[in-house]
Amino acid sequence: MFERFVNGFQILVCIATVVTVVLLFTVPPTMAEPPESAVVSGADLFASNCAGCHGPGGEGGVGPALAGGLARFDSMEEVVAFVSTGVPGSMPGFETRLSPEEIEAVVDYVWVDLAGR
Amino acid sequence: MTARSASERALRTALLLGGAVAIAVGVYGSVHDPAGQQTISLFFSNTLSFKAWTTTLILFFAFGQVYSALRMWGKVKIPKTMPSWWGDLHRLSGTLAFALSLPVAFHCLWALGFEPDFTELRRFAHSVLGCLFYGAFAAKVTLVRSHDTPSWSLPVMGGVVFTTLVAIWLTTSLWFFTTVAFPGI
């Protein structure tokens, strides 16, 4: 009985493995759709695009901490350029995923609210 | 074909398959444009917390794997009489650990990708270890299914899988708990 359960479970995991591999090749990066009548806040854009790596409050995670940081940048324009192009193999560029206005909004949020600049 | 050459061939096949899996994972992580977004987080506040705790749970199952294997190979004596379901329990803990690794690996590969810069030592080591883990796991599963391989090969490959997993936990979960947040849920 237990053996049959384990066998069945292993078959399910095999299917899950195949599904995972298929998803790796088929799921596109979620594009942030600009709403028609509302301006998306920098905080919302940060939550959906940046928090996955930099932490929900910019405290850091896979990517470096942003809260109280950004010392390497002298201006918001530099951060906008950095976020737009990204770093190959490390951080994705967002110029193909967010509009220039959205990038400015999220950088403004990071620069003012998180980094306190 | 002699028994020895058949044994070497089976071992070579398992290692080649494992190597191919490790390389395939690494190539995908390198060429795929990282999405940089959160995926599954269940009841955790974000995906990183989910991954840190899930990897810890995987490590728990991996310890169960090692102990149940040690009992099957007679290296430990508890329980004194091995129950008939012991082997199935070993398979179940290994399957659970692998199943739990799938959403974690998905986020690593799809959202973050392979870190090629070895000056980013933790991320570089974690990327290499992740590839090595799935390669070693594939080789181990192949060895389990083959009855021709040398008797030492299965425990050695199981040891590689376990050691790699411990190193993965050290470079992610422990790092997360000590530098980002604990419990960080």
Side-chain angles (χ1 to χ4, degrees):
Chain A
M1 181 69 181
F2 185 48
E3 183 182 1
R4 285 177 62 186
F5 169 76
V6 176
N7 288 342
F9 184 61
Q10 286 192 323
I11 291 169
L12 285 177
V13 172
C14 285
I15 294 169
T17 306
V18 173
V19 169
T20 302
V21 172
V22 170
L23 289 176
L24 281 171
F25 286 96
T26 55
V27 177
T30 311
M31 302 292 283
E33 296 288 342
E36 291 177 3
S37 59
V39 176
V40 180
S41 72
D44 290 338
L45 289 167
F46 181 87
S48 58
N49 292 279
C50 316
C53 295
H54 294 288
E59 68 275 20
V62 174
L66 305 176
L70 298 185
R72 60 186 282 199
F73 298 103
D74 293 325
S75 66
M76 277 179 58
E77 287 70 29
E78 285 184 26
V79 186
V80 168
F82 182 85
V83 172
S84 298
T85 55
V87 181
S90 179
M91 176 176 143
F94 284 85
E95 60 190 353
T96 57
R97 305 168 193 211
L98 300 176
S99 68
E101 293 76 21
E102 288 172 325
I103 292 178
E104 282 184 20
V106 76
V107 168
D108 183 69
Y109 170 72
V110 172
W111 187 261
V112 176
D113 294 327
L114 295 185
R117 296 287 293 265
Chain B
M1 187 182 293
T2 65
R4 186 175 174 186
S5 63
S7 165
E8 287 175 352
R9 186 176 166 187
L11 178 59
R12 204 161 41 233
T13 301
L15 292 176
L16 281 174
L17 182 71
V21 168
I23 290 170
V25 172
V27 167
Y28 175 90
S30 298
V31 302
H32 178 257
D33 187 23
Q37 294 176 14
Q38 304 210 43
T39 53
I40 186 173
S41 58
L42 288 183
F43 48 82
F44 292 90
S45 57
N46 61 77
T47 303
L48 287 186
S49 300
F50 164 77
K51 287 170 66 179
W53 280 104
T54 303
T55 306
T56 303
L57 186 59
I58 292 169
L59 190 66
F60 171 78
F61 283 121
F63 273 106
Q65 277 274 288
V66 170
Y67 189 84
S68 55
L70 286 172
R71 179 63 189 90
M72 284 193 290
W73 288 72
K75 300 297 181 186
V76 294
K77 303 297 180 191
I78 300 173
K80 202 173 265 182
T81 306
M82 194 163 65
S84 60
W85 43 262
W86 192 262
D88 293 323
L89 184 70
H90 178 78
R91 284 198 299 137
L92 182 63
S93 63
T95 308
L96 273 169
F98 178 78
L100 287 170
S101 79
L102 292 176
V104 176
F106 180 84
H107 182 263
C108 289
L109 288 166
W110 181 77
L112 306 176
F114 189 94
E115 172 60 74
D117 182 2
F118 61 83
T119 60
E120 296 283 352
L121 189 58
R122 184 191 67 80
R123 294 190 337 214
F124 175 75
H126 179 70
S127 298
V128 173
L129 287 165
C131 299
L132 193 59
F133 171 77
Y134 281 105
F137 184 85
K140 196 232 172 193
V141 170
T142 308
L143 289 172
V144 167
R145 299 289 171 186
S146 171
H147 301 291
D148 296 330
T149 50
S151 59
W152 54 264
S153 62
L154 193 55
V156 166
M157 194 51 69
V160 171
V161 173
F162 178 73
T163 306
T164 311
L165 186 61
V166 170
I168 286 173
W169 184 83
L170 290 172
T171 54
T172 51
S173 296
L174 182 64
W175 167 83
F176 180 85
F177 294 143
T178 54
T179 63
V180 180
F182 183 84
I185 51 177

